[in-house]
């Protein structure tokens, strides 16, 4: 490989030992350095399976996975886990330490980081997620969103090249979700890191550079959020929704009101609407 | 939660006892307990009692709070005392109540055993009152380090303890939630015979266990994802370092023990 991608899946097929169907069927895709990719798909379409394959929590029956040019196998697994940080859905069940600082320490200890270095990394990762001053708080005194921010801080402290968020915001309210997404966005502006978000939240998809749509264990489509949401009808057929803004502009279209560009966000919609209004 | 039971409950503070190295604190309590059972003269008991009282004062925790916290064991202490009065028949007869003779040996023996019991509970309570559970875990991990040679899983034990500590409040909250949910479905935990009440606990325990297992599974996955691969090659964030103050306090303690030894008969 000349220019190694951050993540590459080559013809991956995977079946759970107890499962009777293939969870993933011949899945291939690449994620580039510094890219933000959203993976969407109906329940059971294989999104979490992909995430767990990325850091060797599961091993595929066939195909190869490379992380930063490193093949994911028995031998490289600890190297890979240093490069891939993962945040799961339930904030409680990934909080290992008795306090915030201990939780961040857990990952650092696992990777054999020296104590002085730990202190440095703890400081900036707590700053990055705006949780300074919470060092000695215990998990049961934190809100779900705060726990999730700590989980992100723990991941940042490892200085990974790739951050995977597997429905990490699913248990949060809209404000909590937004603040997590902004945190990730902020981190990305400070250092090189690729982000993979797995989500059912359409607003979260809009943060991504690219979207991979999964359907029944297969890659159904890849494209920018705009390209994907333009396929509203097909998306509907595989059980996926489109954002309100896209729905509205489609309804407008069927009424004969054609906007210049398919809007994605509220702001774009507003702009389109007033320019449309002043044109007519 | 009940607030009359303080054994095993940490009271935050900045006193000398709070700041004492948890390893030394545990060793001191351990030695103290052994010495309680070696005491045999009233002078030696006096030394131990004075030291215990001095420790209580040093913690700056209100003595009334400590005494109240020992409530559940007061009964046991008094019970042992009375038991000795009845059972032991040594020495002279001091006095008799109704037809019952109380011997001087019994009084002495009863007082001795009750005092031992009291000191033992008092010192262990002080340990937990002034040391966070996580510090106790750290101390155990550090003190048991030599046992690694005989393949005793020291690190694993400490990790298990700290994870249990971390999940106790979470599971408590969950128990509360489930019991409310079941109560709203008509399960009655408060009234009825013991058998009925035990039966009512089943719909509480089953969901609690199911969720605890699910948590355990997810936690294991998350730990692995964060690079956990056992104790080997792991660094440690919490480090225990002896301060000069710790050493001085320990020397003082040893002097107390030597005095004690001299005053034994
Ligand atoms: N531990 C398991 N054992 C057996 N089968 C499993 C296991 N985990 C998932 N599966 C199956 O594998 C398929 C893909 O599951 P996966 O968890 O990847 O879906 P997902 O896209 O993450 O869904 P969701 O949106 O609900 O999180 C599903 O059919 C599921 O039933
Ligand atoms: Mg999933």
């Amino acid at each position: 490989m000349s220019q190694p991608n951050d993540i590459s899946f080559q013809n991956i097929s995977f079946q759970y030992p107890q499962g009777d169907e293939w969870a993933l069927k011949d899945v291939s895709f690449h994620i580039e350095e510094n890219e933000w990719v959203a993976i969407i798909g109906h329940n059971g379409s294989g999104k979490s399976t992909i995430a767990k394959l990325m850091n060797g929590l599961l091993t595929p029956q066939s195909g190869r996975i490379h992380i930063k040019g490193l093949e994911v196998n028995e031998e490289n697994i600890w190297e890979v886990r240093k490069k891939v940080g993962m945040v799961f859905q339930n904030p409680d069940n990934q909080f290992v330490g008795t306090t915030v600082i201990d939780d961040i320490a857990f990952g650092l200890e696992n990777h054999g980081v020296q104590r002085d270095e730990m202190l440095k990394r703890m400081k900036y990762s707590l700053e990055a997620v705006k949780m300074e001053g919470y060092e000695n708080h215990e998990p049961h005194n934190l809100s779900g969103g705060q726990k999730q921010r700590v989980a992100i801080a723990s991941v940042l402290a490892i200085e990974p090249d790739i951050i995977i968020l597997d429905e990490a915001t699913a248990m949060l309210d809209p404000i909590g979700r937004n603040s997590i997404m902004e945190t990730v966005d902020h981190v990305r502006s400070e250092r090189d890191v690729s982000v993979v978000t797995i989500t059912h939240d359409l607003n979260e998809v809009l943060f991504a550079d690219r979207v991979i749509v999964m359907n029944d264990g297969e890659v159904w489509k890849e494209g920018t959020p705009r390209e994907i949401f333009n396929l509203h009808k097909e998306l509907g057929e595989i059980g996926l929704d489109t954002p309100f803004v896209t729905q509205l502009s489609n309804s407008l279209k069927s009424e004969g009101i054609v906007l210049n560009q398919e809007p994605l966000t509220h702001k774009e919609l507003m702009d389109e609407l007033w320019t449309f209004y002043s044109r007519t | 939660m009940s607030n009359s039971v303080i054994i095993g409950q940490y009271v935050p503070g900045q006193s000398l006892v709070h700041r004492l190295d948890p390893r030394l604190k545990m060793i001191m309590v351990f030695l103290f307990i052994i010495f309680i059972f070696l005491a045999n003269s009233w002078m030696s008991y006096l030394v131990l009692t004075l030291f215990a009282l001095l420790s209580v004062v040093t913690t700056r925790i209100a003595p009334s709070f400590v005494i109240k916290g020992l409530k559940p064991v007061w009964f046991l202490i008094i019970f042992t005392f009375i038991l000795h009065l009845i059972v032991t028949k040594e020495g002279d007869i001091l006095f008799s109540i109704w037809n019952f003779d109380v011997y001087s040996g019994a009084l002495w023996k009863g007082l001795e055993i009750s005092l031992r019991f009291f000191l033992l509970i008092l010192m262990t309570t002080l340990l937990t009152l002034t040391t966070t559970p996580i510090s106790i875990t750290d101390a155990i991990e550090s003190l048991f380090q030599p046992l690694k040679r005989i393949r005793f899983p020291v690190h694993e034990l400490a990790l298990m303890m700290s994870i249990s500590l971390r999940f106790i409040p979470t599971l408590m909250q969950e128990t509360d939630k489930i019991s409310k949910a079941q109560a709203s479905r008509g399960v009655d935990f408060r009234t009825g015979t013991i058998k009925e009440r035990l039966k009512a606990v089943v719909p509480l325990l089953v969901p609690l266990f199911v969720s605890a297992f699910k948590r355990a599974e997810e936690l294991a996955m998350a730990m692995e994802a964060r690079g956990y691969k056992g104790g080997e090659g792991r660094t440690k964030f919490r480090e225990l370092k002896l301060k000069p103050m710790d050493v001085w306090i320990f020397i003082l303690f040893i002097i107390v023990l030597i005095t004690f030894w001299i005053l034994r008969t």
Side-chain angles (χ1 to χ4, degrees), chain A residues 132-144:
Chain A
E132 311 102 307
Y134 283 90
E135 282 83 353
N136 294 316
H137 281 234
E138 293 172 354
H140 59 276
N141 296 327
L142 296 176
S143 73

Side-chain angles (χ1 to χ4, degrees), chain A residues 42-49 52 89 166-167 198 200:
Chain A
H42 61 78
N43 289 129
S45 57
K47 305 181 299 292
S48 298
T49 310
K52 286 171 191 162
Q89 178 174 357
D166 186 356
E167 298 190 39
I198 296 173
H200 291 287

Side-chain angles (χ1 to χ4, degrees), chain A residues 226-278:
Chain A
R226 199 177 295 279
E227 286 164 0
I228 296 298
F229 287 136
N230 275 343
L231 305 168
H232 38 87
K233 217 158 125 217
E234 293 91 327
L235 282 177
E237 278 160 19
I238 62 164
L240 291 176
D241 242 348
T242 43
F244 168 75
V245 173
T246 325
Q247 283 174 23
L248 183 70
S249 77
N250 283 315
S251 307
L252 289 172
K253 206 187 281 174
S254 58
E255 292 292 322
I257 302 171
V258 183
L259 303 174
N260 281 348
Q261 184 200 23
E262 290 271 352
L264 272 184
T265 60
H266 282 265
K267 187 174 177 309
E268 282 178 15
L269 177 70
M270 298 286 232
D271 288 348
E272 285 295 329
L273 284 179
W274 74 257
T275 44
F276 177 80
Y277 184 75
S278 45

Side-chain angles (χ1 to χ4, degrees), chain B residues 246-264:
Chain B
D246 295 324
V247 180
W248 286 117
I249 290 179
F250 195 69
I251 290 173
L252 185 82
F253 178 68
I254 297 295
I255 293 173
V256 170
L257 291 189
I258 292 170
T259 319
F260 165 88
W261 199 256
I262 294 168
L263 292 173
R264 252 168 54 101

Side-chain angles (χ1 to χ4, degrees), chain A residues 14-24 39-52 58 89 166-167 198-200 214 216-217, chain B residues 217 221:
Chain A
F14 178 84
Q15 185 172 29
Y16 284 95
Q18 315 92 309
D20 36 35
E21 273 197 57
W22 289 92
L24 293 180
I39 303 182
I40 60 173
H42 61 78
N43 289 129
S45 57
K47 305 181 299 292
S48 298
T49 310
I50 288 180
K52 286 171 191 162
L58 299 173
Q89 178 174 357
D166 186 356
E167 298 190 39
I198 296 173
T199 182
H200 291 287
M214 295 297 297
D216 282 337
Chain B
E217 202 178 320
M221 174 85 71

Side-chain angles (χ1 to χ4, degrees), chain A residues 28-39:
Chain A
S28 301
F29 62 84
H30 301 281
I31 292 174
E32 320 247 304
E33 208 167 306
N34 251 337
E35 202 179 12
W36 182 324
V37 173
I39 303 182

